Amino acid sequence: MSLGAVINGVESREKTLTVFDPPSASVVEELKEYFASQRVSIREGSASGGPDGFAVLSENDNVLTAVDLRSLTVPLRRKIGERTGFSRLLEHLDGTTFASYDIGQMVAASREIEDRAWRAKVGTLHAGFQRVDAFEAQSKVYTQLGKTDLDIHAYAAPTGEFEDIPGVTSHIVDTDEIANSWFVVYDGGGAASDKCALLAEERGNQKFYGLWTYDPDIVDSILSHLGAQYAAPT
């Protein structure tokens, strides 16, 4: 069992995002660029006699969710607690893998997991950002999270000393797995439906391959591994 084994055990399933009557071609291009490294096909459509400027995410013939295109233009580097159309899309991309995510995309995906933990304000949140300086770049977010009743654990390879953030327990771990893995895992605070995780490996210079999931069993397997391997509470 390893974090990499969890990633490899998730089967990718392609989904389709159909963009109906976009206000400009740039909207479609931006979406294609954002989802280029994920198994999401972007198509254009026209809603004759219906509303325009919306997008529908589907798998085979099943509609998963629909969002207003205006909500997709909100910057991805949002604040904790700020919900966007991307939040709804990501919740329905559970069980798909992504490849070649850059730092910005990883931060955006991490924010979705952190946001769910912040809204619940209870439970345990585990975050691994490979290096201490990468975690400290998110210190404002974790200072805010630390003011709740969350039990927060941060992991990094021995590249420096963690900044002391109230409510955050730091773990300096000298393993290749921690040095190469970016993860944010929330145990749901007692609610199985709130369990979620982002898990990725760096494969290439600041390019990541991994998954996010809302499957309680997958989340539990990640938490169990962290507890068994690094003696951290789960």
Side-chain angles (χ1 to χ4, degrees), residues 77-81 107 111 114-115 118 125 129 132-148 150 152 154 162-168:
R77 293 180 180 274
R78 59 182 178 80
K79 299 178 181 179
I80 285 289
V107 171
R111 196 68 78 245
E114 295 157 350
D115 182 75
W118 181 84
L125 181 70
F129 287 107
V132 171
D133 62 315
F135 179 80
E136 291 184 344
Q138 305 302 316
S139 61
K140 289 185 178 179
V141 170
Y142 279 82
T143 296
Q144 184 177 351
L145 289 167
K147 294 178 180 178
T148 69
L150 287 164
I152 303 171
F162 272 98
E163 176 184 347
D164 185 18
I165 299 178
V168 178

Side-chain angles (χ1 to χ4, degrees), residues 197-215:
L198 166 73
L199 172 60
E201 292 180 330
E202 184 171 5
R203 299 181 180 179
N205 185 25
Q206 296 188 342
K207 295 295 182 181
F208 295 85
Y209 175 86
L211 62 96
W212 59 75
T213 183
Y214 300 88
D215 184 318

